Amino acid sequence: MKGVLHLAKSVVHDSGNKLNVRDMIQEKKKTRSVTNYTEKFIPKILFGIAAISVFTTIGIVLTLLTETIAFFKDVPFIDFFTGTKLKPLGDHAVFGVLPLLTGTLISTVIAMMVAIPVGLMTAIFLSEYASEKLRRVLKPILEILAGIPTIVYGFFAFTFVTPLLRSFIPGLEPTNILSPGIVMGIMIIPMVASLSEDAMSAVPNAMREGALALGATKLEVTWKVVIPAAISGIIASFVLGISRAIGETMIVAIASGSSKNFTFDVTQSMQTMTAYIVEVTGGEAAAGTTLYYSLYAVAMTLFVFTLIMNLVAQYISRRFREEY
């Protein structure tokens, strides 16, 4: 024992300087103290950073609520949500959100009718049929669509897609809801395809091999094994696509027009909630007026609509996850 203590006291570094045991213990205590302080301090920094997003969300909701309540002091709640006419200007202004809500829903449905089948089929090909080399080439090319500015999509819908559709649909108006809906679907395809492909690629290969060993074909494995196993992630991609379509602004602002029509005719000009917000903020709506407050009422409606849709989608996603 004495020999060990003597050896510890005479530890020599490569430089030739000696360190006794007491110095080594003091140095170890200092290092441990700094480490303990860091371990206690870092979680507080991370909590503060995480709290920024929470407080930001709370601030946005409080702002929307405050201004929306001021709007409903001038416009009855029932008239706003059941009114089929929206004439925000003039002495006899009428505020009904149904024309905007209809335009938003129709454009979203059209977009998802394009994005869901094309995006899902693309994901199936990339995950189950394409070789690894081909996948590495096609997936980045597909995701380039997600990097194109939405204003470019808007002018593409207005200057190319609409004239093209008018050659097949003579009654199509120069600004309509069909063209921007289709272009929004094209814009959302990379999101649906990429997220769905990631979900299907995460399915263990043992499940595929087991199904093939039982005599299933490649198509049967895809539709009866892979897709059910990845259905939660696939639904999540659909939900994100729908949220993206509902919140899209520039495409509908450019190509769908500003007519506040309450109609289900996709050939006519219609306005969405986001396009109305752009119109009001870009106009001369004085602060404190009913027109100004209507901006927040429409934004709050859009916020609640999106929130409810996401909650329902999460519920459906959990049910599918439990089933499979």
Side-chain angles (χ1 to χ4, degrees), residues 130-151:
S131 63
E132 184 63 27
K133 182 178 180 181
L134 185 59
R135 186 185 301 114
R136 286 198 301 266
V137 174
L138 291 181
K139 194 170 182 180
I141 294 176
L142 178 67
E143 292 175 348
I144 290 176
L145 292 174
I148 299 176
T150 56
I151 192 170

Side-chain angles (χ1 to χ4, degrees), residues 113-131 134-145 185-201 222-223 226-227 234 237-238:
M113 288 176 63
V114 175
I116 287 179
V118 177
L120 184 58
M121 294 303 106
T122 303
I124 290 173
F125 174 76
L126 292 175
S127 175
E128 304 301 317
Y129 291 92
S131 63
L134 185 59
R135 186 185 301 114
R136 286 198 301 266
V137 174
L138 291 181
K139 194 170 182 180
I141 294 176
L142 178 67
E143 292 175 348
I144 290 176
L145 292 174
I186 296 173
M187 178 190 66
I188 296 170
I189 287 174
M191 179 183 297
V192 175
S194 180
L195 294 177
S196 298
E197 192 270 336
D198 290 340
M200 287 187 282
S201 296
T222 300
W223 287 102
V226 177
I227 290 181
I234 293 173
S237 71
F238 294 167

Side-chain angles (χ1 to χ4, degrees), residues 26 38-39 49 106-107 184 203 208 232 246 281-282 300 322:
Q26 291 297 328
T38 303
E39 290 293 332
I49 295 174
I106 291 177
S107 63
M184 278 197 300
V203 176
R208 297 181 177 87
S232 178
I246 291 175
T281 54
M300 190 66 186
E322 292 172 1

Side-chain angles (χ1 to χ4, degrees), residues 214-265:
L214 292 174
T217 63
K218 188 75 171 178
L219 185 62
E220 289 175 336
V221 171
T222 300
W223 287 102
K224 296 182 180 181
V225 176
V226 177
I227 290 181
I231 193 66
S232 178
I234 293 173
I235 291 178
S237 71
F238 294 167
V239 172
L240 289 176
I242 293 172
S243 299
R244 184 70 179 86
I246 291 175
E248 174 52 38
T249 303
M250 294 309 301
I251 296 177
V252 290
I254 294 173
S256 67
S258 59
S259 300
K260 300 162 183 61
N261 296 323
F262 179 64
T263 178
F264 294 95
D265 187 358

Side-chain angles (χ1 to χ4, degrees), residues 284-299:
E284 298 179 355
T289 62
T290 305
L291 176 60
Y292 172 79
Y293 288 132
S294 70
L295 165 69
Y296 293 92
V298 172

